[in-house]
Every structure is written in structure tokens, then in C-alpha cells.
Amino acid sequence: MKAAHDRAIMSRYDFRKSGVKVVYAFMVACIVLISLSMLYPFVNTFLNSLKSTKEFFAFPAPFFPSKWLWGNYKESLTYLKIGMHFKNTIFIFAGNTFFSLTFLGLAAFSLSHLRVPFKKWVTLYFMSTLLIPSASYLIPNFLNLKELGVLNSYWAFWLPAGANAFFLLLLKNFFDGIHKELFESARIDGASEFRCFLNIAIPLSAPILITLILLGFASTWNDFYWSSLVMQEDKLPLAAAIYTKIIYPGSTINWNVRFAILSMTLLPPLVVFLFFQRYIIGGLSLGAVKG
């Protein structure tokens, strides 16, 4: 007996129509153009890193270098301590991940499955902070951290990470989807609320937790403005170090060497998102706001 297959959006019969073929070809062409436009900056950055200074400033500039100068990458290492700044970035990311997932996870679990007084108002309070532009509380955050004496330390990143309302929203909506009967059965067996959180909520929340970790990695890797405000040179993450030492208008480093540094720093996030993009899409869908 022939196995039944689910019908696709367009069947073979649909493709026999000339109008469908035209629309389908147009959609494919749009996808190809969008893909090329997104890939162009990455390819152009890499190729510019291999050009000579003369080729870089030539007009019209050649797309491919006549000679691939891999020495630009070796020269770039003399201008920036990539290893040190990469280590700073990893420390910041690790602390942000721990504080955000620990404190926001406990808060989201409490708002979802515990009897919290004025639960709806507390949730509304946290969610209303998403309506405030981040630039408006940049200076108050800086002044608060200055009063606490944590400037030029990793705590200047870790403490604000524990109050991320967007992560709280995603976690709470995911926890809302976990059946309360699971926790009630655990409580009957003598499990505490914290044990329910660790042994039931956390294992079932792997998709959204992976998503938040990846989003946190992207935020930490790309952040340069806040880092340049609260950190000094020896503790700057990679993005802030590149901005202050390489990209800043006063820099005298050759542009082909600058692009070599940018090409090296593009690689880690590119690899991460290529391998884990399905977790991001799936996690955001599972943690989406329910209608």
C-alpha cells in the first residue's frame, strides 16, 4: 500500500499554471537577491582584508584582490590584543548568562506557578519597562553603578543583566505553558518549590534557555557603547576595544588591516548562529506571547 504524503502548499497541478510559475520564479528571485545583499558585507569585508593599501583606495576599487595578502592578519595582531579582549568578552557573557537565567528564571517561575500577591500588577510593572527607550535610563544606570562602586568591573554588566524584562517575558510565557499538574504531583510527593523549579521547570525549558543564551551572546559580542562608558582599556570586551582602537576616527591604522581585524571578529558569532539558529527560531516561537 502506498504511503500517504501531506500535500504541500502548491501541488504539481498548481505548477502547470503559467501564472503560478511566474509568481514562484519572482519569489525565488527575491529570495536570491535578499540572500546576496545579506552576504555581500561579509564577503566584501573578507576580501578587503586581503587587499593592499593601493588596491583598497583605487577607483574603481577591484572586488577581488590581485594578490591575497594574508600578512594583513599577522600585522593586525600587533595593534590589538585580541586574546585579552576575547577573554573579557567571555567573562562578561558567562556572568550575564548566570545572573539573567538564575534570577529571571526564579522570578518568571514565581509569577507563573506560585501564589504571588498582586501577581498581575507585578507582571505588568515589569512588562511596562519594555515601553521605555533604553537610552533614557542609560545615565541613571551609570550613576547607580557609580554609587555602588562597581565601575570598571564585570559587575557593571552582571547586575543589569539580572533585570532584563524581555528575557523575563519570554521565560514567563514559556513557564505558563508547563502543566501545573506536574508541579502539583511533585508537591504531593514532598518536593519544595525550589526543587520543582530545578527538577521540572529547568529540564523542560531547554529550548527557551538555549535561545536566551544565544541572544545574550549576540548582545554581549556586539555591545560597545555601554562597555566604553563603564570599562577601562584593560577590561574592555572585543567590540568596544575594536571601536576605541581600530574604528575610531582618530585611528591611523591602514584600512585593509582594520578589515582583517573585523573579519576575525566576525567568525565566532557567524559560526554560533549557523549551528544554533534553529534553537533561536524554535525558542522564540515557544516563548511567544499567547493570544
Side-chain angles (χ1 to χ4, degrees), residues 8-84:
I9 297 176
M10 290 186 292
S11 64
R12 293 182 179 179
Y13 174 77
D14 296 326
F15 275 106
R16 295 175 184 175
K17 302 177 183 178
S18 58
V20 172
K21 291 182 180 180
V22 172
V23 173
Y24 184 77
F26 176 75
M27 293 173 61
V28 171
C30 289
I31 294 173
V32 171
L33 290 175
I34 293 172
S35 301
L36 292 176
S37 66
M38 296 179 68
L39 289 174
Y40 176 78
F42 298 98
V43 176
N44 190 48
T45 300
F46 174 69
L47 294 178
N48 282 334
S49 69
L50 298 172
K51 294 178 181 178
S52 63
T53 305
K54 182 178 179 181
E55 282 184 323
F56 187 89
F57 289 103
F59 185 83
F63 186 71
F64 292 99
S66 59
K67 185 178 180 181
W68 294 45
L69 302 177
W70 296 100
N72 292 338
Y73 285 86
K74 184 178 180 181
E75 182 181 352
S76 66
L77 298 176
T78 62
Y79 294 103
L80 187 68
K81 297 179 180 178
I82 294 181
M84 181 185 72

Side-chain angles (χ1 to χ4, degrees), residues 86 90 93 210-219 221-222 265-281:
F86 181 77
I90 295 300
F93 165 66
I210 294 174
T211 301
L212 295 184
I213 290 173
L214 294 175
L215 292 177
F217 174 79
S219 177
W221 189 267
N222 295 321
T265 56
L266 279 174
L267 189 59
L270 188 63
V271 172
V272 168
F273 281 91
L274 281 177
F275 284 98
F276 295 100
Q277 60 178 336
R278 62 188 183 95
Y279 292 104
I280 299 176
I281 299 172

Side-chain angles (χ1 to χ4, degrees), residues 14 127 150:
D14 296 326
M127 296 305 104
V150 296

Side-chain angles (χ1 to χ4, degrees), residues 27-265:
M27 293 173 61
V28 171
C30 289
I31 294 173
V32 171
L33 290 175
I34 293 172
S35 301
L36 292 176
S37 66
M38 296 179 68
L39 289 174
Y40 176 78
F42 298 98
V43 176
N44 190 48
T45 300
F46 174 69
L47 294 178
N48 282 334
S49 69
L50 298 172
K51 294 178 181 178
S52 63
T53 305
K54 182 178 179 181
E55 282 184 323
F56 187 89
F57 289 103
F59 185 83
F63 186 71
F64 292 99
S66 59
K67 185 178 180 181
W68 294 45
L69 302 177
W70 296 100
N72 292 338
Y73 285 86
K74 184 178 180 181
E75 182 181 352
S76 66
L77 298 176
T78 62
Y79 294 103
L80 187 68
K81 297 179 180 178
I82 294 181
M84 181 185 72
H85 297 296
F86 181 77
K87 180 194 69 175
N88 295 338
T89 306
I90 295 300
F91 280 167
I92 294 171
F93 165 66
N96 288 353
T97 301
F98 174 78
F99 281 95
S100 62
L101 297 187
T102 301
F103 292 105
L104 296 177
L106 290 169
F109 179 76
S110 301
L111 293 174
S112 294
H113 295 286
L114 300 185
R115 294 181 180 178
V116 178
F118 306 105
K119 181 187 297 187
K120 292 185 179 180
W121 291 104
V122 173
T123 304
L124 180 63
Y125 169 75
F126 284 111
M127 296 305 104
S128 63
T129 60
L130 294 173
L131 303 176
I132 305 175
S134 59
S136 63
Y137 52 78
L138 188 68
I139 301 303
N141 275 352
F142 177 83
L143 295 176
N144 288 335
L145 295 173
K146 182 180 179 181
E147 292 295 326
L148 293 173
V150 296
L151 294 182
N152 196 34
S153 70
Y154 298 128
W155 289 102
F157 293 89
W158 296 345
L159 290 179
N164 191 320
F166 177 65
F167 283 14
L168 179 65
L169 171 66
L170 293 179
L171 282 168
K172 181 185 180 300
N173 280 281
F174 189 90
F175 288 152
D176 287 342
I178 301 176
H179 295 294
K180 297 183 181 295
E181 289 79 5
L182 294 174
F183 302 106
E184 292 174 357
S185 299
R187 294 185 188 107
I188 292 173
D189 292 336
S192 63
E193 300 297 346
F194 187 69
R195 194 176 182 88
C196 290
F197 172 73
L198 286 180
N199 294 354
I200 299 177
I202 293 298
L204 293 176
S205 305
I208 190 65
L209 294 178
I210 294 174
T211 301
L212 295 184
I213 290 173
L214 294 175
L215 292 177
F217 174 79
S219 177
T220 304
W221 189 267
N222 295 321
D223 176 61
F224 70 92
Y225 187 66
W226 177 251
S227 306
S228 60
L229 287 178
V230 300
M231 287 294 196
Q232 294 180 4
E233 181 176 341
D234 59 331
K235 290 189 176 181
L236 284 175
L238 194 56
I242 290 174
Y243 174 75
T244 56
K245 298 180 180 180
I246 307 300
I247 307 299
Y248 196 71
S251 176
T252 58
I253 302 173
N254 292 332
W255 278 96
N256 51 352
V257 178
R258 298 188 194 189
F259 275 93
I261 296 174
L262 293 176
S263 298
M264 288 189 289
T265 56

